[in-house]
Amino acid sequence: MINYIFKDDAKRNISVGKIVCLARTYIKHAEEMKSNVPEVPLLFLKPASSIIFDGDSIIFPKISKCLHHEVELGIVIGKKCKKVSSINALDYVLGYCVTLDITARDIQSIAKKKGWPWGIAKGFDTFAPISNIILKEEVSDPNNLSILLKVNGDARQSSNTKNMVFTVEQIIEFISSVMTLEPGDLIMTGTPEGVAEIKKGDVLEAWLSNICSLKVFVT
Ligand code: MG
């Protein structure tokens, strides 16, 4: 079991459950991937074993030659929910974090061509770095947070969660219509434009407005 780390340093003993990820939730990122934004959210899963924390390292797998960064808003679920309405969806949120959906783009490209799922491309150990969790009470509007990623000090991805095609509330409503969300589940909400390669030796720094930050390395 991997327990979350909280920004307020309190020990809450909440372990990471399933990680539900969305793809193509920002129009400009869908365009750069030569894809369309789907009418309903496009979901995939990452294993909890892919989680790492601030100060840790992303390990470059031997079978990939091309890793990409995708900076994303993370939502941590606080209460079990199934088939919730967007109107009260935020009642089920514990907090938020900034996350990186690390992707073996070369493996994903082959999978896309063959119509295969993305489990390998998205699921290696260390492929889900997350910041410490900030409680939702500290966040006035999750649908208006700036999101920024720098690699070796250079800005690579810069956007705002208001540019997502679905709100946080709509995302929780949709996912909970498919599967029960449980305390400790993490939703990775998709990435804005600017995804690009990372190399061994790179330093990645991500921010969610001025409320969360994350620094990880590539080895
Ligand atoms: Mg992603």
Side-chain angles (χ1 to χ4, degrees), residues 126-194:
T126 76
F127 270 27
I130 60 171
S131 71
N132 295 356
I133 308 302
I134 184 157
L135 296 177
K136 73 169 174 197
E137 291 76 14
E138 308 293 318
V139 179
S140 55
D141 182 3
N143 296 302
N144 187 10
L145 294 170
S146 63
I147 188 161
L148 172 66
L149 175 77
K150 291 183 178 181
V151 177
N152 304 328
D154 296 327
R156 289 264 190 98
Q157 293 186 269
S158 179
S159 188
N160 187 294
T161 57
K162 70 184 177 195
N163 297 323
M164 286 199 291
V165 295
F166 307 109
T167 63
V168 166
E169 293 90 334
Q170 289 170 329
I171 287 168
I172 294 168
E173 178 181 85
F174 179 76
I175 297 173
S176 79
S177 77
V178 177
M179 62 189 86
T180 301
L181 287 168
E182 295 173 288
D185 286 350
L186 173 65
I187 301 169
M188 295 173 69
T189 55
T191 195
E193 67 277 13

Side-chain angles (χ1 to χ4, degrees), residues 23-174:
R24 302 176 200 157
T25 50
Y26 290 79
I27 292 169
K28 286 182 182 167
H29 171 63
E31 287 172 355
E32 76 182 347
M33 299 306 288
K34 309 211 172 353
S35 300
N36 298 317
V37 169
E39 285 175 23
V40 294
L42 195 166
L43 301 187
F44 63 93
L45 297 167
K46 279 167 104 88
S49 48
S50 58
I51 291 282
I52 57 170
F53 297 100
D54 187 55
D56 290 342
S57 292
I58 298 159
I59 299 167
F60 212 109
K62 286 196 176 69
I63 65 167
S64 174
K65 291 191 166 47
C66 180
L67 297 194
H68 271 196
H69 56 71
E70 299 188 354
V71 68
E72 310 194 356
L73 165 69
I75 307 165
V76 179
I77 296 296
K79 280 197 285 188
K80 184 172 179 172
C81 63
K82 186 176 174 68
K83 296 188 170 68
V84 293
S85 154
S86 60
I87 294 163
N88 50 18
L90 293 188
D91 294 348
Y92 298 89
V93 172
L94 176 67
Y96 302 97
C97 58
V98 64
T99 70
L100 297 173
D101 171 18
I102 302 299
T103 304
R105 195 70 80 198
D106 48 353
I107 296 172
Q108 188 196 33
S109 296
I110 293 167
K112 281 182 177 176
K113 280 190 198 122
K114 295 184 182 246
W116 291 348
W118 301 351
I120 300 173
K122 296 284 192 177
F124 285 97
D125 288 359
T126 76
F127 270 27
I130 60 171
S131 71
N132 295 356
I133 308 302
I134 184 157
L135 296 177
K136 73 169 174 197
E137 291 76 14
E138 308 293 318
V139 179
S140 55
D141 182 3
N143 296 302
N144 187 10
L145 294 170
S146 63
I147 188 161
L148 172 66
L149 175 77
K150 291 183 178 181
V151 177
N152 304 328
D154 296 327
R156 289 264 190 98
Q157 293 186 269
S158 179
S159 188
N160 187 294
T161 57
K162 70 184 177 195
N163 297 323
M164 286 199 291
V165 295
F166 307 109
T167 63
V168 166
E169 293 90 334
Q170 289 170 329
I171 287 168
I172 294 168
E173 178 181 85
F174 179 76

